[in-house]
Amino acid sequence: MKRSCNRKETKTVNRVARIRKALVPVAFLLPFGIIFCMFVIFPFIFGITISFFNWNMFDASRTSFAGFGNYYKILFNSESIYFSYFWNGLKNTLLFVAISVPLLIILPLIFAGLLDRKPYGFRFFRFSLFVPTVLSISTVVIIWSWQFYANGGVINEFLKKIGIGGPNWLNAQPWAWVAILIVTLWWTIGTNMVIFSAGMKNVDQSLYEAAKLDGAGAIRSFWHITLPGISNQIVLCLLMTMIASFNVYGQPQLLTGGGPVIDGDFTTTVLMMRIRTIGMGANANPGVSSAMSVCMGIIMIAVSIVQSRVSKRRGD
């Protein structure tokens, strides 16, 4: 009897110990899980749900089921004002992605490669390139906006002194996009540069010594040794940069306000600006705004999947 009781007690103790052991990580993860569900999972599901309704934020009785009507308005119904809002905003967003992503990969690579050779003062230059990344977009725009003023701006005053007439940076194209691109590069280039620099430190230095003995110069060594050695970092930065570029909002909103207007089109009004205006503006339509957000998310996911598969195949 005593042995059977001892065995039962031992099993009970072991069971309790296993349960406690299993509950320990759950207890640590539970607060984060609750916050994650509140601020990520629930808004994600709720946003998709809203996209299928004619949603009224102030009067629930006026909310009605729309099915795919909101998606039809923005994707196929050319007579709807939301159709032009969506496609014009998407066009401007894709334009920004096309011109910003290559520069935000190539320039940090060049800077990281130069600083990796540790020239005189490299720590100062690395610090200077990274510092803007800690600033908020509002601060960045305040720093740059007065420099882009057509009359009295720092850049145009400098150009005037050397005999060059400065452009109307924020109210004419293509200078409005150039201004937005300059601000974006100055603000974000340091992040990718630091990631590339960290990757370069892990490249086997003996490969460079062997390449030097074979007569390879700096450019060939960078192309055939450095780039393959940091391929994972390049893919990571490419994905992060593309997602960030699709979500561009602060730069055109605060610098140009979506203008200049040419032939009735707001030439720097990106899709995120339209989504916010339609979702929270004076004539808010959260259903259409959510449908735009879902479509934009699907495009971003598709681009990321294609990019990952292409990069993986090249790696293989």
Side-chain angles (χ1 to χ4, degrees):
M1 287 291 293
K2 290 183 178 179
R3 289 183 178 178
S4 61
C5 290
N6 290 335
R7 288 177 181 174
K8 289 181 179 179
E9 291 177 359
T10 303
K11 289 181 179 180
T12 303
V13 171
N14 291 337
R15 189 180 298 112
V16 171
R18 287 196 298 269
I19 293 173
R20 286 180 177 176
K21 188 177 181 179
L23 289 177
V24 169
V26 174
F28 280 106
L29 292 173
L30 187 60
F32 170 78
I34 294 173
I35 295 173
F36 182 78
C37 290
M38 288 176 58
F39 294 100
V40 178
I41 301 299
F42 173 73
F44 175 75
I45 296 173
F46 189 59
I48 294 177
T49 303
I50 290 175
S51 69
F52 293 101
F53 286 84
N54 293 317
W55 196 270
N56 191 295
M57 294 187 295
F58 306 103
D59 188 357
S61 62
R62 298 176 62 183
T63 297
S64 60
F65 182 71
F68 288 95
N70 291 328
Y71 292 92
Y72 176 76
K73 288 178 184 177
I74 65 173
L75 295 176
F76 305 110
N77 187 4
S78 59
E79 296 180 358
S80 172
I81 188 63
Y82 299 119
F83 178 87
S84 60
Y85 284 168
F86 176 79
W87 288 108
N88 186 61
L90 181 61
K91 179 191 70 174
N92 292 335
T93 301
L94 292 176
L95 176 62
F96 178 78
V97 171
I99 61 178
S100 66
V101 171
L103 292 175
L104 286 169
I105 297 298
I106 295 173
L107 291 180
L109 270 174
I110 294 174
F111 285 132
L114 293 173
L115 294 175
D116 189 57
R117 303 176 71 86
K118 297 182 179 180
Y120 179 76
F122 75 96
R123 289 188 178 87
F124 169 77
F125 288 108
R126 184 170 57 192
F127 172 78
S128 300
L129 289 168
F130 182 74
V131 161
T133 62
V134 304
L135 302 176
S136 67
I137 183 58
S138 301
T139 305
V140 171
V141 171
I142 290 173
I143 292 172
W144 279 95
S145 59
W146 62 275
Q147 300 187 48
F148 287 124
Y149 290 153
N151 298 316
V154 174
I155 297 176
N156 280 4
E157 286 298 315
F158 173 77
L159 294 175
K160 187 186 296 184
K161 288 183 178 180
I162 61 176
I164 300 175
N168 192 352
W169 289 96
L170 303 179
N171 296 299
Q173 290 291 13
W175 301 110
W177 276 120
V178 173
I180 292 172
L181 184 61
I182 290 173
V183 171
T184 303
L185 290 173
W186 184 81
W187 182 37
T188 62
I189 200 171
T191 301
N192 289 351
M193 183 199 67
V194 169
I195 295 174
F196 292 147
S197 296
M200 290 177 185
K201 294 184 184 301
N202 294 324
V203 178
D204 189 356
Q205 297 300 311
S206 63
L207 296 175
Y208 294 106
E209 296 174 2
K212 188 175 181 179
L213 292 174
D214 289 339
I219 296 177
R220 292 188 64 184
S221 296
F222 182 81
W223 185 262
H224 293 287
I225 299 175
T226 305
L227 290 183
I230 61 170
S231 59
N232 291 333
Q233 286 81 1
I234 293 175
V235 172
L236 173 65
C237 289
L238 198 56
L239 286 172
M240 292 194 309
T241 303
M242 186 165 291
I243 292 172
S245 296
F246 266 105
N247 285 292
V248 62
Y249 175 81
Q251 300 94 300
Q253 174 67 32
L254 298 176
L255 269 177
T256 64
V261 180
I262 298 177
D263 296 330
D265 290 335
F266 288 80
T267 54
T268 60
T269 299
V270 294
L271 191 53
M272 285 298 296
M273 294 171 64
R274 288 298 187 191
I275 290 172
R276 181 192 175 281
T277 302
I278 295 171
M280 303 179 66
N283 299 313
N285 193 328
V288 172
S289 177
S290 298
M292 288 184 178
S293 300
V294 171
C295 292
M296 183 178 180
I298 292 172
I299 293 171
M300 292 170 61
I301 291 171
V303 171
S304 299
I305 291 173
V306 171
Q307 181 181 321
S308 298
R309 290 188 175 180
V310 170
S311 300
K312 185 177 180 181
R313 287 180 181 178
R314 289 177 65 88
D316 293 338

